[in-house]
Amino acid sequence: GQQVMQIPQYQHVQEGEDFTTYCNSSTTLSNIQWYKQRPGGHPVFLIQLVKSGEVKKQKRLTFQFGEAKKNSSLHITATQTTDVGTYFCAGPGYSSASKIIFGSGTRLSIRP
Amino acid sequence: DSGVTQTPKHLITATGQRVTLRCSPRSGDLSVYWYQQSLDQGLQFLIQYYNGEERAKGNILERFSAQQFPDLHSELNLSSLELGDSALYFCASSKTGLSGANVLTFGAGSRLTVL
């Protein structure tokens, strides 16, 4: 079945260091979304990428969609304690495009 | 406040019991999605409704069922509960739900504990 994997599963960084999480799908995606879930909270939409090779930036966050539309990455420059949480990528289902499948997530923790 | 309302926030029950989780989507959203998140795990897609009709199904157990009512609120029914059903159940809504490009707005979740 369709799989959306993320690596690493966990990342612990010193505040100020950069962070990157990678998302890989077993199938080509028409689009990819990224969500952030703070500890004890619910997932919150960050961004959607649609075009092959697309790069979008939100302040210190840079999102990239692979050329083959099967992988994506999220890079955070100079992490801050407010960046703590789990980052999920998500994409449409292969068997049913209307369902949205989430990746396994990358949990980011930060040493002040 | 995301605009998606889930009740109850917390629920503790015993094995073999049945519970109903309720979700009111954000105003104007026609589609409702249900996800299960076990401790420190990812978000497992259960089921999606659009304007009252089932639209997509994930690995939802036969003991679980859901529906979306004419006023667009949705209920997830979990029966013959087992210890492994303990999890956080999220409801999310989107404007249409007809394609995979829908942005999801999540509720705060219902935490179910089965003892």
Side-chain angles (χ1 to χ4, degrees), chain A:
Chain A
Q2 179 185 17
Q3 287 192 331
V4 181
M5 301 300 295
Q6 283 182 251
I7 54 170
Q9 191 175 359
Y10 302 97
Q11 186 84 53
H12 187 58
V13 302
Q14 182 76 41
E15 186 175 12
E17 290 181 341
D18 291 357
F19 159 78
T20 304
T21 173
Y22 299 91
C23 174
N24 295 290
S25 170
S26 58
T27 59
T28 301
L29 301 171
S30 59
N31 70 85
I32 196 152
Q33 299 174 359
W34 285 91
Y35 291 78
K36 176 184 178 181
Q37 183 177 20
R38 292 181 187 274
H42 58 274
V44 175
F45 172 78
L46 294 176
I47 208 161
Q48 182 175 85
L49 304 171
V50 178
K51 299 176 184 175
S52 169
E54 187 171 12
V55 178
K56 285 188 176 181
K57 291 190 176 186
Q58 285 180 352
K59 297 183 181 177
R60 295 177 295 103
L61 277 61
T62 302
F63 303 84
Q64 201 161 4
F65 200 8
E67 293 290 338
K69 301 184 82 173
K70 293 182 73 173
N71 61 293
S72 180
S73 65
L74 158 58
H75 179 81
I76 302 179
T77 303
T79 54
Q80 300 175 358
T81 54
T82 53
D83 296 325
V84 164
T86 302
Y87 293 84
F88 292 98
C89 61
Y94 179 74
S95 59
S96 173
S98 66
K99 71 180 179 183
I100 298 174
I101 304 299
F102 279 74
S104 43
T106 295
R107 177 183 290 183
L108 172 65
S109 58
I110 296 175
R111 296 188 296 274

Side-chain angles (χ1 to χ4, degrees), chain B residues 6 19 23 26-27 33 39 42 56 64-65 80 84 90 92 96 99 108-109:
Chain B
Q6 288 188 249
V19 298
C23 170
R26 200 176 54 157
S27 178
Y33 302 72
L39 191 63
F64 295 2
S65 65
S80 302
F90 283 110
T96 62
S99 78

